Amino acid sequence: MEPAVLGGKLASSLMGPLLKKLFVADGPGAGLVDRPVRLKDLVSFRGEKRVLVEKDVHKLAEHLVRQAVDSPGEPPFRADERIAVADALARRLLALGDLDMDDVQAVRLGHRELARTLTRSAPVPDGLSADAGHFLGSATEWACLQILEFFTRRSTFVPRTLVEQTRAQSELIAKTDELLARTPRPDARDTAFERRYRAYVAERHNHLTIYGIDLRDSPDRWPLEVAYLSLEATAAEDRPVPGDGPGAAPVTVQLPAEQALLGHDRVLLRGDAGSGKTTLVQWLAVTAAREGAHVPYVLPLRTVIRGADPFPAPAAFLTAVGCPLSAPEGWAERVLTAGRGLVLVDGLDELPANDRHRVRDWLVSLVHAFPGNRWLLTSRPTAVRPDWLAAQGFRELTLAPMRRTDVATFVHRWHTAADAGQFEGPLLDSLRTKRDLARLATNPLMCGLICALHRERRGYLPTGRKELYDAALTMLLTRRDRERGLPVVDEVELGEEAQLELLQRLAYALVLSGRTEMDLDTAESIVDRSLPVVALHRNRHARTVLRTLLLRSGLVRRPADGVLDFVHRTFQDYLGARYAVAEGHLDVLAGHADDTQWEDVIRMAVAHARPGERASLLRRLLAARSPRLTLLALACLEHAVALDADVRAEVERRAAELIPPRTTEDAKVLAEAGPLVLELLPGPEGLTAEEARSVAVTASLLGAEEPEGALAVLRRFRDHPDLKVRRQLVGTWSRFDTAAYAAEVLDELPRGDLYLTCESAEQRAALTGMRPWQGLTFLGSHSVGEILDAVREPGAVTLLDLRDNPLLTDLGELSPFGALRELMLARCPAADGLERLAELPLAELVCGQIADVTGLRSLGSLVRLSVEQELPGDSLVEVLPVDAPLEFLFLGRNSTNRTGLRGLEHWTTLTELSLGPLTTDLTAADWEEVTALPGLRTLHLNARILRELPRSVKRMPELSGVKALRVPGLLGIEDLSVLARRLPSVRRLTLQTMPGHVFPERIPQLFPTADVVRVKR
């Protein structure tokens, strides 16, 4: 819906006055002040004399959306999304108060650019359909059009504009003269080319192949915005528990996959075959091309490595992928030098191992040469070791298997696209009730095949993975000319068996070469040698047969001139394994077992093999005495319906040596073997606490793939006495059905020392049905009203942790939490009013990146205080609570920029002082404040102070009263000798490294009388 159309549905005479309420009344005068009034001072929902509150803005947005939806004509989106759309529109309107511009500058932007600015400033809406998202964008543009119209009618606008023009003209002349003197005139060809290139990328990648829809009269490609399914990416990280104590709890960070580059500009994304890696690359490329902030370069490695220069410089990026556009000389380098590039390198696992190291060297050299750009590299999970690019600053994410809700969404979109709605309901019922079938539907590829088979067979579905592939191949290979009303191509008609024979030979050749592409000449020679075998007439030319195979099979394609590959690596591995077994190449299979690229080939070979061949191959895997190959043998049992009982028993016995897992890493490796592991997981009886936690980790990792079996394992650990085990159970909530997991696991857990994390509306809803929790964490955008609605007994909550919440404004709204003793506020940019918490029995407060900390002085009950943002004033006594009996104080990044440690001696009750990664040097006077603390016994000193502010440490006097020292954030290069001299009485030293780093040397010699605790992150 275009803004003009939307405006037609919403009468300007009605809506204009409503939007006018967003701004304060017009004042007298011409507006000739030196400092123009900013938008944040014009809006009526900010400041001391606010006319509207945020709830009023939400009501206004609801009114606008309701008028559009209820007006005559087809609804622009589903009715159940109305609240979510209105909420998102309200957040964008509220973002007006955060823009650093005045009304003249806003009008100069234009309504479309202003809308884009508000969209970037507001939180990203979660879970909206394509239709709702399109409506939201149009509604934002229409609202901005009305807002700018209102600005131009203000009495001060015209005089202000004339003044601005006069000032701007003088400034422009001066700046232009300076620019011409320093910089050559920019080449307009760059801009014109970039416009053409963005349009090309958006068109080139704006489609998906939904496997199985390309049958009969259905098209095989669909618009990306219709077919794209937002999947989840995860990263395993250690995060500190609330407070500043030593150690951290392992957590799984989750985010929408398309947001992988929002928080980090270098990402290595791992994902199994068919998990959607390439689709995500397309989505990122099309989005970047349309939004214009970054210039996307899509570099499929299997295509790039074919060129004359397999690892091209930026100037050759376009030619390496066959882009027909010719860029101006030096354009790509200028883009990357300016930090505007989005480089998407796809398919590391599709290259031989030796080439992968060359890819790393190539990519790292580009990153170093062109800092400031965004870089994404995709790979299968086992292609390279963990942290393969960590030293170069790459964050590792993994595409998670599809959850039940994802599968349901995919099934709905598939049937909508295929115009087969009558089959959607029955298939969803089968996926919910048939365990084997649900186990297969874990990625978009398999879901598409299942949907297609279900429709093609009118409701009948196979039950095993091999049966499914066999059925899928039959479906794809029997698209006769008569089914599509087409004549025979080149008078060659290939039956299913003939096609399979040719395809499996091509597949096996690719498997042996370690690649996923071959040139057409090689493929033609393979077909030529195979023609006598498939009993085709001798006058059939290999080139004709190959062309027919490309046109008709649906399994191979020509991605570029002179190149052939399979539509998906899974089919290549399946058919390659079929040929290897048929030819008796068991030795070849066993010889490549150590190569991770052969894992799926070996699994499928076990499925194709006869019982004796299966036993022989599994014995070869076990003979290697490798844990990974033992787990591979265990995974193969899923496909070994008929197998020698002794061999099966030996595989299971050897696997028992790996079960239970002893560490988190063992648990992750074990989970890779698949859901069969769930049947072998013991406990909790007879397990150590660490083994019990590792078993819970394994089951958690398998929760998305086999939720029922994983849930059955985790239920057994609900009453475990170890806190780490119960924390693992709490932390894996998002992998399971929200309500089921809440009822069967979370609500049965002992509550002591546990805090529950809520991230979504579904989790908030589930929280209302549980017994009270004393500790609660809310991540993301949750209004205080929504939080209170979810917490049935706020008076029972003693710990509350609120993070990344732009909706939190007036902290006084937290007053119903009458028993609250610990409060954490992190990255809540609009939160103020700390003084209104004075009536609560707060003993501990953690705050960082909130709007205003001046209210701290009112919190006289605090015993522990952590602050990580700049403090106002010239002394700590001007902002921290002078009446509080503080025993612990943490000062983090930027906290001492203005105050230093002046006034610290006031808190004579302090026994523990923690200094985080400070950004300004400490003076001798600052350290005198520390020496004046009579009870100080513990000091925390972040290692960044040692590295980046060495003068601060040199100024430290001798602190003979300090008995315990903790130094987090070590890289292993720090010199701790100065601390040893200044802290002679230390009896306990805790050292904590950054991930991937080592401990400094000579620690025992420096602190001979101290007990040293090493914590490796």
Side-chain angles (χ1 to χ4, degrees), residues 211 231 269-279 346-347 349-350 378-383 398-402 440-447 449 465 469 516 567-574 596-597 599-601 603-604:
Y211 297 104
L231 297 178
L269 181 71
R270 299 177 187 261
D272 290 320
S275 59
K277 300 185 296 297
T278 300
T279 301
D346 189 28
D349 56 281
E350 297 178 355
T378 72
S379 173
R380 284 195 186 184
T382 57
T398 301
L399 279 177
M402 293 170 66
L440 292 171
T442 58
N443 62 53
L445 170 68
M446 295 307 300
C447 282
L449 289 174
R465 185 176 177 185
Y469 280 122
T516 57
V567 293
H568 201 280
R569 175 73 172 272
T570 301
F571 289 124
Q572 175 184 307
D573 292 345
Y574 180 82
T596 56
Q597 288 198 91
E599 283 185 357
D600 279 348
V601 179
R603 292 183 187 186
M604 289 296 95

Side-chain angles (χ1 to χ4, degrees), residues 42 56 66 95 186 210 275 294 415 428 496 585 649 747 841 848 914 943:
L42 288 177
D56 296 320
R66 185 166 56 251
I210 305 181
S275 59
H294 290 82
H415 286 85
L428 286 174
E496 181 179 346
H585 291 178
D747 206 28
S914 180

Side-chain angles (χ1 to χ4, degrees), residues 207-487:
H207 60 81
L208 287 179
T209 297
I210 305 181
Y211 297 104
I213 291 186
D214 56 336
L215 299 173
R216 296 196 175 98
D217 297 323
S218 300
D220 63 349
R221 303 205 305 180
W222 298 88
L224 189 64
E225 59 267 21
V226 174
Y228 179 72
L229 176 67
S230 176
L231 297 178
E232 183 180 85
T234 64
E237 295 180 0
D238 288 335
R239 287 196 172 179
V241 296
D244 193 54
V251 298
T252 299
V253 180
Q254 301 166 322
L255 71 161
E258 60 270 21
Q259 296 181 16
L261 289 167
L262 290 185
H264 206 290
D265 59 7
R266 304 176 192 176
V267 171
L268 171 58
L269 181 71
R270 299 177 187 261
D272 290 320
S275 59
K277 300 185 296 297
T278 300
T279 301
L280 175 62
V281 165
Q282 290 180 241
W283 180 265
L284 293 174
V286 171
T287 302
R290 289 176 173 173
E291 292 182 350
H294 290 82
V295 178
Y297 300 95
V298 180
L299 303 176
L301 282 172
R302 62 184 179 185
T303 301
V304 170
I305 202 170
R306 289 197 318 268
D309 180 4
F311 301 104
F317 278 0
L318 302 193
T319 56
V321 296
C323 176
L325 303 179
S326 297
E329 184 176 354
W331 168 76
E333 284 201 15
R334 288 191 289 274
V335 169
L336 295 178
T337 301
R340 297 193 299 117
L342 172 63
V343 184
L344 305 166
V345 184
D346 189 28
L348 177 67
D349 56 281
E350 297 178 355
L351 302 183
N354 292 337
D355 286 340
R356 295 173 199 163
H357 295 288
R358 297 171 63 198
V359 168
R360 178 171 59 185
D361 295 341
W362 168 66
L363 188 58
V364 170
S365 67
L366 287 173
V367 170
H368 289 167
F370 301 102
N373 296 281
R374 294 184 176 182
W375 310 83
L376 177 76
L377 175 64
T378 72
S379 173
R380 284 195 186 184
T382 57
V384 290
R385 69 176 188 276
D387 299 325
W388 190 66
L389 278 170
Q392 287 73 37
F394 277 74
R395 182 190 192 191
E396 290 201 5
L397 296 175
T398 301
L399 279 177
M402 293 170 66
R403 295 176 292 186
R404 289 183 178 181
T405 54
D406 298 326
V407 172
T409 300
F410 184 96
V411 170
H412 172 71
R413 293 182 181 177
W414 192 99
H415 286 85
T416 299
D419 193 22
Q422 69 272 28
F423 295 107
E424 178 181 342
L427 178 57
L428 286 174
D429 291 339
S430 296
L431 288 169
R432 295 187 186 104
T433 57
K434 294 182 179 180
R435 175 180 171 182
D436 290 340
L437 184 63
R439 182 185 300 175
L440 292 171
T442 58
N443 62 53
L445 170 68
M446 295 307 300
C447 282
L449 289 174
I450 290 170
C451 290
L453 283 168
H454 185 262
R455 185 194 72 167
E456 191 69 8
R457 295 189 170 196
R458 308 194 69 79
Y460 166 76
L461 281 171
T463 56
R465 185 176 177 185
K466 180 179 181 298
E467 280 189 60
L468 178 64
Y469 280 122
D470 287 341
L473 290 171
T474 299
M475 175 189 70
L476 294 171
L477 296 177
T478 55
R479 296 182 300 170
R480 307 281 191 229
D481 292 338
R482 59 179 177 271
E483 293 176 349
R484 304 187 65 181
L486 298 175

Side-chain angles (χ1 to χ4, degrees), residues 811 828-835 847 849-856 869 872:
L811 293 174
C828 300
D832 63 9
L834 282 171
E835 68 279 359
C847 64
Q849 300 176 48
I850 67 173
D852 185 11
V853 294
T854 55
L856 276 173
Q869 66 184 79

Side-chain angles (χ1 to χ4, degrees), residues 28-354:
L32 304 181
V33 294
D34 290 333
R35 301 183 62 184
V37 180
R38 320 303 288 176
L39 288 190
K40 61 185 178 182
D41 297 320
L42 288 177
V43 296
S44 58
F45 49 83
R46 294 283 178 87
E48 296 179 357
K49 299 180 179 181
R50 65 183 67 178
V51 178
L52 301 181
V53 296
E54 290 191 8
K55 289 183 179 179
D56 296 320
V57 179
H58 279 269
K59 290 180 181 178
L60 171 62
E62 291 171 5
H63 192 99
L64 292 170
V65 173
R66 185 166 56 251
Q67 288 290 324
V69 173
D70 294 342
S71 61
E74 181 182 355
F77 54 88
R78 299 197 311 268
D80 59 355
E81 294 183 291
R82 180 184 296 185
I83 296 177
V85 172
D87 180 63
L89 181 58
R91 295 181 188 182
R92 294 183 179 183
L93 293 175
L94 288 168
L96 282 165
D98 298 322
L99 298 186
D100 187 20
M101 65 177 69
D102 56 39
D103 55 351
V104 175
Q105 293 170 327
V107 173
R108 190 180 299 131
L109 277 181
H111 72 282
R112 287 191 174 88
E113 186 57 35
L114 179 61
R116 282 192 285 268
T117 303
L118 294 180
T119 300
R120 289 192 296 266
S121 302
V124 179
D126 183 29
L128 292 183
S129 67
D131 288 340
H134 187 57
F135 172 89
L136 176 61
S138 298
T140 306
E141 288 190 16
W142 183 86
C144 288
L145 191 63
Q146 296 295 318
I147 289 168
L148 297 186
E149 172 70 13
F150 165 72
F151 284 166
T152 61
R153 294 177 181 272
R154 287 170 53 85
S155 62
T156 62
F157 182 80
V158 173
R160 275 279 320 284
T161 302
L162 294 175
V163 172
E164 287 289 332
Q165 286 177 347
T166 303
R167 291 172 177 167
Q169 187 174 8
S170 298
E171 293 175 2
L172 181 59
I173 292 172
K175 290 181 179 179
T176 301
D177 289 342
E178 180 183 356
L179 184 62
L180 289 174
R182 295 189 312 173
T183 309
R185 186 170 61 88
D187 194 339
R189 291 179 301 169
D190 277 10
T191 303
F193 173 77
E194 195 168 306
R195 188 181 302 114
R196 293 176 59 215
Y197 175 69
R198 289 182 185 278
Y200 167 79
V201 171
E203 174 61 27
R204 169 71 176 80
H205 296 285
N206 188 32
H207 60 81
L208 287 179
T209 297
I210 305 181
Y211 297 104
I213 291 186
D214 56 336
L215 299 173
R216 296 196 175 98
D217 297 323
S218 300
D220 63 349
R221 303 205 305 180
W222 298 88
L224 189 64
E225 59 267 21
V226 174
Y228 179 72
L229 176 67
S230 176
L231 297 178
E232 183 180 85
T234 64
E237 295 180 0
D238 288 335
R239 287 196 172 179
V241 296
D244 193 54
V251 298
T252 299
V253 180
Q254 301 166 322
L255 71 161
E258 60 270 21
Q259 296 181 16
L261 289 167
L262 290 185
H264 206 290
D265 59 7
R266 304 176 192 176
V267 171
L268 171 58
L269 181 71
R270 299 177 187 261
D272 290 320
S275 59
K277 300 185 296 297
T278 300
T279 301
L280 175 62
V281 165
Q282 290 180 241
W283 180 265
L284 293 174
V286 171
T287 302
R290 289 176 173 173
E291 292 182 350
H294 290 82
V295 178
Y297 300 95
V298 180
L299 303 176
L301 282 172
R302 62 184 179 185
T303 301
V304 170
I305 202 170
R306 289 197 318 268
D309 180 4
F311 301 104
F317 278 0
L318 302 193
T319 56
V321 296
C323 176
L325 303 179
S326 297
E329 184 176 354
W331 168 76
E333 284 201 15
R334 288 191 289 274
V335 169
L336 295 178
T337 301
R340 297 193 299 117
L342 172 63
V343 184
L344 305 166
V345 184
D346 189 28
L348 177 67
D349 56 281
E350 297 178 355
L351 302 183
N354 292 337

